[in-house]
Amino acid sequence: MTVVLDNLAQKISSQLAIIYEDVDIDLDYQAFANQLIDIMQISVSVQSPEPYQNHWSEQDIIMITYADSVISDNQLPLVNLRSFMNQYVGASINSVHILPFFPYSSDDGFSVIDYSSVNEAHGSWHDIKAIANERRLMADVVINHCSSRSKWFENFTKGEGTGHDYFFTCNADDDVSAVVRPRTSPLLRATATANGEQHVWCTFSHDQVDFDFRNPEVLAQFIKIFRQYLDAGVSIFRLDAVAFIWKKLGSPSINLPQTHEIIRLIRSLVEHAKPDAVLITETNIPNTQNLTYFGNANEAHCIYNFSLPPLLINTLITGNCLYLKRWLMSMPPAQNGTTYFNFIASHDGVGLRPVEGLLSEDEVDTLISTMQSFGGVISWRSTPDGDQKAYEMNIALIDALKGTVDGIDELGFERFICAHAIMLALEGIPGIYIHSLLGTSNDYDKLNHTHHNRSINRRRWYADLLAEHLDDEESSHARILSSMLTLIDLRKAQPAFHPNATQFTLHLGLSLFGFWRQSLDRRQSIFCISNITDQLQSVPIGELNLVLTETWYDLISGLVISDLTQLLDLSPYQTVWLTNKKPE
C-alpha cells in the first residue's frame, strides 16, 4: 500500500470515528475504512486529489430533465432524450442532469425501488452510458430514503436478508415534535413486521421510508452505489435530501454534525476514485444553513442556490430589486474548489424556506397570491407547532413571469428571457430545466390526473409534437429555445463568466439590477445590467465607472459604446452585458 492510500485509510477511519462516536456498536474503524476503499476500487497507485481545484468553467451548462420528458410510441424515452439534445440543443449545453431514472413507486422517481437498475420503461444502462459519452452526466443519489416497495424494505418486514436493519424506527410515543419536515403527513408509519409492529421514520411520505445511517452497512451500500454510477459514466452526483439523513430523537433531525461528516467521507472516497467528480448537495433550507454544506471546501463542491428562484421571481413581478440585491451582497464568494449551482426552475416547485429571513411575510404573501393568480398552486408543510405554512409554489416559470403584481401583461417573453440573462451571468454553474428551454406552460391535465402539485411543471412532450413546434420558427417554443441558446453561447465565450470569476454588486437604484464580473486573469470585465421593470429605464454610463480609455460592447445587442457621457436606455426587461473585450 502506498503512503497515499495509507493516509486515505487513516482519514476515512477518523471520519468514521466522528460519525459513529455516539452509536452503540462495535466497529473496527480501520477495517471498515479499508472495506470502503476496496468497494470504491481505489487503487494503490492513486494520487491525492489537488485541493481547491475547479472542475468547471464558463463552458459548463447543465440541462435538468426527467428521463421521460420526451416520449414517443416507437422509441424508449432515453433514446428520445438523447435525440432531442443532439438535434435541438447540440453543443450549446455540455452537461445533463437526468433525474432519477431507476424503478420507482412514487414521487416521479424519488421513491427508488432498485438503485442498481434503470427503469425498463425509460431504457437501459446502455442508453445512460451513450448519453454520458456525449455530455457530462449528473445523476441523483437518493440517499435519505427508498421505496416501501423495495426489496430492502420487504426484507425489513420479514426481519431477515439485506435491508432488514436498514431503516430508522422509533417508538410511537417518542417525542418527535422538534423534527423539521417539508411535509404535512405523519412522520411515523406503523408497519407490521415479523418482529411485531414497528414505527418507521418517513420524512417525506409513507412510501418513502428513511434509512438508518447509524448502521454502517447502510453507508457501505451507498458507497457501492456511487461506484456503480461512476462505472456508468456519472461524474456529477446530486445528493438528494441529504440534510435529513442523520436522525436523533429530541433534535430537529436536520443538518446534524454526522450528516456533514458523512458528506465529507463520501467526498474523500469519490474524489480519490475520480478526481474530477463533483458532489452537489440538494438542501432546500434557509440560506445560512445551506451555505454550511461547502464545509471548508471539503464537503459539497456545489450547493444549490435555492434562494435565487423566489428572489428573482419576486424582483421581476414587483419591479423592485431591493431584496435580490441585499441577498447577492450578502453571499460570500465561493472559494476555489467550490461554486454555486444556479437555477430558477426545476422539477420541484419554487421553495419558500430559502427566503426565510430574506423576504418579509407581506412580501411572501404577495408573491404567493400573484403566483396563484397566474395559475400556480401552493404546497404546505407542518411546523413543529402544528401550524400549516407555505413550503413551495408550484408553477411553470413561463407562467410565473407572465405578468406583475398588477396582473398579466404582454411582456412575459421579455421578462422570462431577462430572468435567464441574470441567472446565466451570476457566479456559479447554471442549471436550466428542460421546460424553461422549451417555454412549457402549466400542465393542468397532469396535475388533475395525479393530484400532486409538482406535476404542474413535469409535462411529458410527445417527440413529434415537440418537433413540430421547434421546427416552426414562429412558435413561442422555438422562439424561446433560440433565444436561450443564443444567450448560452454568448455566456460560454466569456472568461468573465467563469463560475469562480470575481463578482461585485452594482448600486443602480431599485429599478435596475446589476453586477460586475471579472475574469480570473483580470483581462475581461463584464457589467451585467438588467431593467427589471415594465418601463423604460436610463442610466448615465459615467456612473458605471467604465474605464475611459477602452471601448465597451454589449454582447447581447451588439451596441458599441465609445462616448461614456451618454445615457444608456434600457427597454422593459432588457439586459446588457457590457464588456471591454471586443466580441470575435
Side-chain angles (χ1 to χ4, degrees):
M1 227 180 235
T2 66
V3 174
V4 170
L5 207 52
D6 285 340
N7 289 343
L8 176 60
Q10 185 57 50
K11 180 180 181 181
I12 298 298
S13 177
S14 298
Q15 290 171 326
L16 292 170
I18 294 171
I19 293 167
Y20 297 109
E21 179 181 9
D22 296 328
V23 181
D24 186 18
I25 55 172
D26 183 16
L27 182 63
D28 184 331
Y29 297 132
Q30 192 68 45
F32 189 43
N34 289 326
Q35 178 187 343
L36 297 180
I37 290 170
D38 289 342
I39 291 172
M40 193 55 85
Q41 300 174 23
I42 299 171
S43 70
V44 294
S45 60
V46 66
Q47 296 293 315
S48 287
E50 193 172 342
Y52 307 110
Q53 289 297 297
N54 297 323
H55 304 308
W56 43 78
S57 74
E58 64 274 11
Q59 298 286 319
D60 291 303
I61 312 285
I62 301 177
M63 185 183 82
I64 305 164
T65 180
Y66 278 103
D68 60 348
S69 290
V70 183
I71 58 176
S72 66
D73 295 329
N74 56 357
Q75 286 199 119
L76 289 168
L78 282 169
V79 176
N80 289 322
L81 178 63
R82 183 183 173 205
S83 297
F84 162 77
M85 290 189 292
N86 289 338
Q87 182 173 355
Y88 293 105
V89 175
S92 295
I93 296 179
N94 67 352
S95 306
V96 59
H97 172 200
I98 305 179
L99 292 154
F101 44 78
F102 319 104
Y104 69 95
S105 55
S106 64
D107 198 17
D108 280 349
F110 286 93
S111 185
V112 179
I113 292 175
D114 180 8
Y115 289 82
S116 65
S117 302
V118 174
N119 188 338
E120 291 182 355
H122 294 161
S124 66
W125 282 116
H126 172 80
D127 300 313
I128 291 294
K129 291 175 182 178
I131 291 173
N133 286 335
E134 296 171 348
R135 301 173 201 276
R136 201 170 187 189
L137 178 60
M138 175 172 166
D140 289 271
V141 179
V142 184
I143 196 169
N144 178 70
H145 53 262
C146 72
S147 169
S148 64
R149 289 173 49 194
S150 66
K151 184 67 176 177
W152 292 341
F153 195 68
E154 181 182 329
N155 288 343
F156 168 78
T157 62
K158 293 178 180 178
E160 60 183 18
T162 302
H164 78 276
D165 53 357
Y166 279 14
F167 300 95
F168 195 98
T169 62
C170 61
N171 297 321
D173 57 357
D174 282 336
D175 183 6
V176 295
S177 60
V179 174
V180 172
R181 297 185 60 226
R183 298 291 186 270
T184 57
S185 58
L187 174 64
L188 302 180
R189 163 188 162 149
T191 303
T193 77
N195 298 314
E197 185 177 76
Q198 298 198 52
H199 292 85
V200 181
W201 193 287
C202 299
T203 299
F204 291 91
S205 78
H206 282 191
D207 184 47
Q208 294 165 296
V209 285
D210 283 30
F211 292 112
D212 186 355
F213 274 87
R214 295 174 303 179
N215 179 359
E217 287 305 309
V218 174
L219 178 60
Q221 192 68 249
F222 271 95
I223 299 306
K224 293 177 185 177
I225 291 168
F226 278 99
R227 181 66 254 180
Q228 180 183 6
Y229 294 178
L230 281 170
D231 292 338
V234 176
S235 59
I236 307 174
F237 297 91
R238 177 184 184 269
L239 305 186
D240 176 64
V242 70
F244 298 96
I245 62 174
W246 196 270
K247 289 87 171 159
K248 183 178 180 181
L249 290 174
S251 80
S253 293
I254 187 173
N255 305 325
L256 295 184
Q258 294 88 341
T259 294
H260 287 277
E261 198 63 43
I262 289 172
I263 296 171
R264 288 192 279 270
L265 180 145
I266 292 170
R267 164 83 175 258
S268 300
L269 289 167
V270 169
E271 68 182 1
H272 278 84
K274 183 176 174 56
D276 63 347
V278 170
L279 299 184
I280 301 183
T281 49
E282 188 268 334
T283 49
N284 195 351
I285 52 181
N287 192 54
T288 53
Q289 298 175 27
N290 191 33
L291 289 167
T292 65
Y293 283 85
F294 277 141
N296 183 24
N298 60 352
E299 291 188 37
H301 294 89
C302 306
I303 62 171
Y304 272 74
N305 231 341
F306 274 110
S307 298
L308 178 60
L311 287 175
L312 185 50
I313 292 171
N314 180 73
T315 294
L316 290 167
I317 67 167
T318 62
N320 184 329
C321 68
L322 174 63
Y323 299 99
L324 181 63
K325 187 164 72 170
R326 279 181 180 171
W327 166 77
L328 194 65
M329 291 171 61
S330 73
M331 293 294 282
Q335 61 181 312
N336 283 330
T338 67
T339 194
Y340 296 103
F341 183 67
N342 294 326
F343 72 107
I344 49 177
S346 75
H347 62 291
D348 288 340
V350 179
L352 292 173
R353 288 216 69 203
V355 291
E356 290 178 10
L358 300 176
L359 289 180
S360 68
E361 287 192 14
D362 287 343
E363 288 284 335
V364 172
D365 289 344
T366 299
L367 180 59
I368 289 172
S369 62
T370 304
M371 293 303 100
Q372 289 175 314
S373 72
F374 294 165
V377 290
I378 307 300
S379 295
W380 303 85
R381 68 180 179 93
S382 295
T383 68
D385 296 330
D387 296 330
Q388 302 294 295
K389 193 167 185 178
Y391 172 69
E392 68 178 17
M393 305 177 298
N394 304 106
I395 188 170
L397 186 62
I398 192 73
D399 287 308
L401 296 174
K402 66 183 179 181
T404 69
V405 291
D406 296 322
I408 297 171
D409 58 26
E410 301 299 319
L411 293 169
F413 172 83
E414 290 79 6
R415 197 177 289 112
F416 183 81
I417 297 301
C418 177
H420 286 92
I422 291 172
M423 188 266 285
L424 284 167
L426 285 169
E427 174 189 358
I429 300 171
I432 303 179
Y433 192 33
I434 186 173
H435 292 304
S436 293
L437 283 174
L438 301 174
T440 308
S441 58
N442 291 334
D443 189 341
Y444 295 110
D445 288 340
K446 189 170 185 179
L447 174 64
N448 293 332
H449 176 72
T450 65
H451 302 293
H452 294 146
N453 286 352
R454 288 177 170 175
S455 295
I456 199 171
N457 195 26
R458 296 179 178 179
R459 179 173 177 176
R460 294 185 180 94
W461 275 100
Y462 274 95
D464 54 354
L465 177 60
L466 180 58
E468 183 181 323
H469 282 294
L470 297 182
D471 293 340
D472 176 6
E473 294 182 359
E474 301 301 316
S475 80
S476 62
H477 302 291
R479 186 181 174 208
I480 285 173
L481 180 60
S482 175
S483 299
M484 294 280 281
L485 295 182
T486 297
L487 279 177
I488 288 168
D489 289 339
L490 281 173
R491 173 213 157 80
K492 291 173 59 181
Q494 316 309 319
F497 286 152
H498 185 285
N500 293 85
T502 298
Q503 176 174 288
F504 285 110
T505 307
L506 301 177
H507 297 282
L508 304 170
L510 300 181
S511 299
L512 294 170
F513 177 67
F515 49 93
W516 173 73
R517 304 294 308 279
Q518 184 183 60
S519 59
L520 298 175
D521 62 9
R522 299 187 179 183
R523 293 181 180 178
Q524 184 189 32
S525 290
I526 301 180
F527 289 80
C528 308
I529 305 168
S530 296
N531 177 359
I532 48 86
T533 77
D534 57 5
Q535 302 295 317
L536 177 74
Q537 300 291 334
S538 299
V539 57
I541 295 177
E543 291 186 3
L544 299 178
N545 293 323
L546 304 183
V547 177
L548 295 173
T549 57
E550 296 184 341
T551 300
W552 293 82
Y553 309 87
D554 175 23
L555 294 167
I556 298 176
S557 70
L559 176 70
V560 179
I561 299 176
S562 54
D563 179 4
L564 302 188
T565 65
Q566 67 188 68
L567 286 176
L568 177 63
D569 293 330
L570 295 181
S571 302
Y573 305 108
Q574 181 184 353
T575 293
V576 293
W577 289 344
L578 301 179
T579 182
N580 60 333
K581 183 179 178 183
K582 186 175 182 179
E584 298 179 358

